[in-house]
Amino acid sequence: MKNIVLYKSKYGNTFQYATWIAEELDWEIRDFSKFKKSEIKNYNTIIFGSGVYIGRMNNIRKVLEWFKEKPIIIFACAGNNNVEKDITDIKTNNFNKDQLAFHTFFYLPGGIDFSKVKGIVKLMINIFIKIIEKKKNKKEDEEAILESYYHPTSYVDKKHIQAIVSYTKKI
Ligand SMILES: Cc1cc2nc3c(=O)[nH]c(=O)nc-3n(C[C@H](O)[C@H](O)[C@H](O)COP(=O)(O)O)c2cc1C
């Protein structure tokens, strides 16, 4: 039986991790958009990874529906570098207790580069930033948003795939 890494990536961070994981495991890799539900039966083990946008993992609703009878390994690639509260928020925003117990979840640190954002989302972010900038007493998380808006961050590093790769090799 075959194994596959599936990914949904807007700006390339998840794609980079998916590529490293697939290389390390010597597995097939494919954009989730090009994968069909009818193909699930052809694969033994499946890893799915995606970026996180306003709390939600890309395509997660479809993934959880498609894989409700087949446990898979899921990784979220988001903006922070392993901040415990953010990881907990991603878990609670995207999964219920049963789904978390059924699938295996990993977090991989991505980063944020707002200069890559285009179109309507860019417009909304710019409005949001202007509102925060005008506030006299900014909260800690608002300061953090401003910091990341003006200073892009990237925590993407091959070393972070260690946990998911060694877990996968053991199953
Ligand atoms: C508009 C926007 C919203 C985001 N929302 C979140 C978020 O709610 N939580 C988070 O941890 N990261 C958030 N991020 C950061 C992305 O999850 C991060 O850049 C991720 O690595 C993107 O992966 P991708 O390039 O594979 O799509 C956001 C980034 C953008 C541009």
Side-chain angles (χ1 to χ4, degrees), residues 8-17 50-56 58 77-80 86 90 93 107-114 117 121 125 153 156:
K8 270 309 278 186
S9 183
K10 278 194 190 187
Y11 304 106
N13 292 338
T14 308
F15 174 66
Q16 176 63 83
Y17 279 122
S50 82
V52 177
Y53 291 90
I54 334 249
R56 292 288 289 174
N58 248 352
C77 172
N80 276 311
D86 288 17
I90 291 168
N93 279 335
Y107 178 90
L108 294 177
I112 297 198
D113 184 351
F114 284 113
V117 181
V121 180
I125 290 170
T153 48
V156 177

Side-chain angles (χ1 to χ4, degrees), residues 6-166:
L6 301 169
Y7 63 87
K8 270 309 278 186
S9 183
K10 278 194 190 187
Y11 304 106
N13 292 338
T14 308
F15 174 66
Q16 176 63 83
Y17 279 122
T19 305
W20 280 329
I21 293 166
E23 279 170 5
E24 203 67 25
L25 295 168
D26 199 15
W27 283 16
E28 189 184 335
I29 174 171
R30 209 183 313 163
D31 189 323
F32 181 62
S33 313
K34 299 194 173 105
F35 185 80
K36 293 192 196 79
K37 194 179 180 186
S38 59
E39 293 183 84
I40 296 173
K41 61 178 182 320
N42 303 337
Y43 291 90
N44 190 21
T45 310
I46 294 176
I47 295 177
F48 169 82
S50 82
V52 177
Y53 291 90
I54 334 249
R56 292 288 289 174
M57 288 182 69
N58 248 352
N59 274 60
I60 194 65
R61 192 195 287 248
K62 191 174 185 180
V63 165
L64 291 170
E65 172 57 30
W66 281 19
F67 296 102
K68 61 182 178 207
E69 271 146 39
K70 179 180 176 64
I72 61 167
I73 298 159
I74 299 176
F75 74 86
C77 172
N80 276 311
N81 189 10
N82 279 316
V83 176
E84 206 51 55
K85 172 161 184 331
D86 288 17
I87 300 173
T88 307
D89 286 349
I90 291 168
K91 283 187 186 174
T92 48
N93 279 335
N94 291 278
F95 309 95
N96 64 34
K97 259 172 99 184
D98 293 341
Q99 289 161 338
L100 275 176
F102 188 62
H103 301 294
T104 306
F105 178 85
F106 287 88
Y107 178 90
L108 294 177
I112 297 198
D113 184 351
F114 284 113
S115 69
K116 290 184 181 168
V117 181
K118 304 270 178 279
I120 184 84
V121 180
K122 174 111 190 162
L123 202 73
M124 283 161 65
I125 290 170
N126 286 346
I127 294 167
F128 184 54
I129 292 294
K130 292 267 173 312
I131 293 169
I132 299 179
E133 277 177 333
K134 280 193 183 138
K135 279 184 139 186
K136 281 214 173 79
N137 298 312
K138 299 179 188 65
K139 290 191 211 137
E140 207 177 305
D141 57 339
E142 290 169 337
E143 295 283 8
I145 290 168
L146 286 183
E147 174 67 21
S148 64
Y149 182 77
Y150 289 109
H151 304 100
T153 48
S154 177
Y155 307 106
V156 177
D157 193 311
K158 196 175 177 185
K159 70 179 181 204
H160 297 306
I161 68 167
Q162 212 53 43
I164 190 166
V165 165
S166 54

